[in-house]
């Protein structure tokens, strides 16, 4: 049997997934069933676009439920590395400055399941995180991105 993928996430990320799962099962699933019932009342199902749309939505919701359940089942909670509080690792927030004189940026390194760059959360699989993990405050790091190389200096590392 194929080995299941592990999903690295914070405890907060797992709680959000559990809340999403409850919402999908207890609310969205019922809403879609009601839409299907309503669409059946519009007549011939072979030419009923409302029915087709509701069935497509049902398939999407059920697929998302399965995916979220799988992510929760195979969740690996990120434990903070307290041995070295100045070292970048998963679950920590890192502030760095682009060299020579760029602005400071702060990101929390999380698993791909909860990555959201717009909320300041980057995946541990991203080029930025891969380059920063294992380095310490004060280190200068060259980050190789699809857009080219970027030199940064780690300003601070904090634990949430």
């Amino acid at each position: 049997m194929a080995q299941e993928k592990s999903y690295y996430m914070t405890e907060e990320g797992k709680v959000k997934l559990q809340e999403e799962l409850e919402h999908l099962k207890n609310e969205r699933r019922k809403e879609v069933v009601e839409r299907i019932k309503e669409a059946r009342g519009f007549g011939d199902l072979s030419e009923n676009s409302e029915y087709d749309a509701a069935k497509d939505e049902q398939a999407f919701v059920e697929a998302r439920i399965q995916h979220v359940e799988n992510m929760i089942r195979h969740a690996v909670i990120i434990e903070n590395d307290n041995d070295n509080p100045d070292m970048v690792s998963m679950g920590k927030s890192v502030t760095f400055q682009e060299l020579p004189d760029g602005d400071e940026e702060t990101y929390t390194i999380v698993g791909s399941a909860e990555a959201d760059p717009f909320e300041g959360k980057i995946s541990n699989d991203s080029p930025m995180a891969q380059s920063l993990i294992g380095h310490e405050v004060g280190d200068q790091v060259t980050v190789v991105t699809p857009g080219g190389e970027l030199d940064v200096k780690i300003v601070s590392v904090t634990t949430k």
Side-chain angles (χ1 to χ4, degrees), residues 1 3 15 52 58 96 105 109 116 119 132 134 137 157:
M1 190 163 120
Q3 185 171 348
V15 167
D52 290 340
Q58 181 183 40
F96 58 86
E105 296 181 42
I109 300 175
D116 184 351
E119 287 189 18
L132 295 173
V137 172
V157 177

Side-chain angles (χ1 to χ4, degrees), residues 11-97:
E11 187 64 43
E12 175 187 332
K14 186 175 180 182
V15 167
K16 284 184 180 180
L17 281 177
Q18 290 167 329
E19 290 170 355
E20 178 185 357
L21 182 61
E22 288 303 309
H23 173 75
L24 288 168
K25 285 182 165 182
N26 297 327
E27 294 175 33
R28 290 276 295 161
R29 189 182 259 170
K30 290 176 184 174
E31 290 169 5
V32 172
V33 167
E34 284 303 313
R35 284 189 54 210
I36 290 171
K37 284 182 186 176
E38 195 175 295
R40 279 190 180 134
F42 294 145
D44 185 6
L45 298 182
S46 65
E47 297 178 13
N48 189 331
S49 62
E50 287 86 0
Y51 179 77
D52 290 340
K55 290 298 280 184
D56 288 346
E57 185 177 356
Q58 181 183 40
F60 172 80
V61 168
E62 293 302 323
R64 181 66 185 163
I65 288 171
Q66 286 182 347
H67 183 66
V68 171
E69 285 176 335
N70 188 50
M71 289 170 59
I72 291 170
R73 189 171 25 260
H74 299 287
V76 177
I77 302 302
I78 298 167
E79 298 292 333
N80 285 319
D81 174 17
N82 293 322
D83 292 341
N84 187 347
D86 289 338
M87 183 179 287
V88 179
S89 61
M90 286 181 62
K92 292 184 179 178
S93 294
V94 58
T95 300
F96 58 86
Q97 178 184 18

